[in-house]
Every structure is written in structure tokens, then in C-alpha cells.
Amino acid sequence: MKMIFAIVNKDDSNTVQSALTREGYSATKLATTGGFLMSGNATFLVGTEDNRVDDVIAIIEKHSKKRTQMVPSTTYGDSEYASYPVEVTVGGATIFVLDIERFEKV
């Protein structure tokens, strides 16, 4: 048995959740915040059999789109403060797969 932790952009979270449910996977969705852009994410916890891990990852990958976004960037010069927008890539998914020693539903 495996536990999949998938961190996706909040804009993709409802689509990912619907797709997982439609394919018969139970998933717990947690509202989380990323450290880099301090923006909203969703972290999914999905427990599944070893042979179904690739299917879960494929579903998440299909519904987690990368895109670019303009964010403010701060630079410090001598004594002046300047801010200008920088284009960064957001979205996609970060996925961790862990072995589960024991699983019970009570």
C-alpha cells in the first residue's frame, strides 16, 4: 500500500479532486500555502494499492497545468527600493509517494 501526497495549485484543485473521485479514488484535500510565492495550494492525500500509483499520478498530472504568472520582485539598491514584476512558472504538481506499513478504516 502507498500514500500519495500531491501538492497542486488551488486553481487546479477542484478539477483534480473531481477526476480522482470519478475514477474511484478516495482523497483527502487540505488547504495549504506554498513557501516561495506564499500562494494557495491544495495538498491531496491518497491511499492506494502499489499497482495503482501510476494511475493516480497520471490523473493528477493530466489536471494540474503549469502556467506563467507575473509576481512582484523586490530588489534593494543603495538606499532606494525598487519593485518590478517577474514572470514565474506556477501550477503543475509536486508528488511524494510513501510506503504504508499498516492501513485501517475504523
Side-chain angles (χ1 to χ4, degrees):
M1 177 131 224
K2 303 288 187 190
M3 172 63 71
I4 301 169
F5 291 87
I7 305 163
V8 303
N9 187 281
K10 68 178 178 181
D11 295 336
D12 297 325
S13 65
N14 289 335
T15 306
V16 170
Q17 186 172 25
S18 295
L20 288 169
T21 301
R22 192 170 42 254
E23 294 296 323
Y25 295 99
S26 296
T28 298
K29 182 170 91 169
L30 306 172
T32 54
T33 303
F36 177 62
L37 296 175
M38 301 303 286
S39 61
N41 294 319
T43 300
F44 288 92
L45 287 69
V46 183
T48 191
E49 298 302 323
D50 292 15
N51 63 340
R52 299 183 78 192
V53 169
D54 290 337
D55 294 335
V56 173
I57 292 173
I59 292 167
I60 295 166
E61 182 179 18
K62 180 179 178 180
H63 298 284
S64 300
K65 303 299 179 198
K66 286 187 179 182
R67 52 196 156 284
T68 58
Q69 175 179 324
M70 299 300 284
V71 298
S73 172
T74 305
T75 59
Y76 294 92
D78 298 321
S79 63
E80 295 184 30
Y81 172 85
S83 180
Y84 55 91
V86 174
E87 188 174 60
V88 297
T89 302
V90 298
T94 302
I95 301 171
F96 301 90
V97 180
L98 290 82
D99 288 322
I100 300 299
E101 186 176 317
R102 183 174 172 174
F103 168 78
E104 291 184 34
K105 274 191 169 183
V106 293

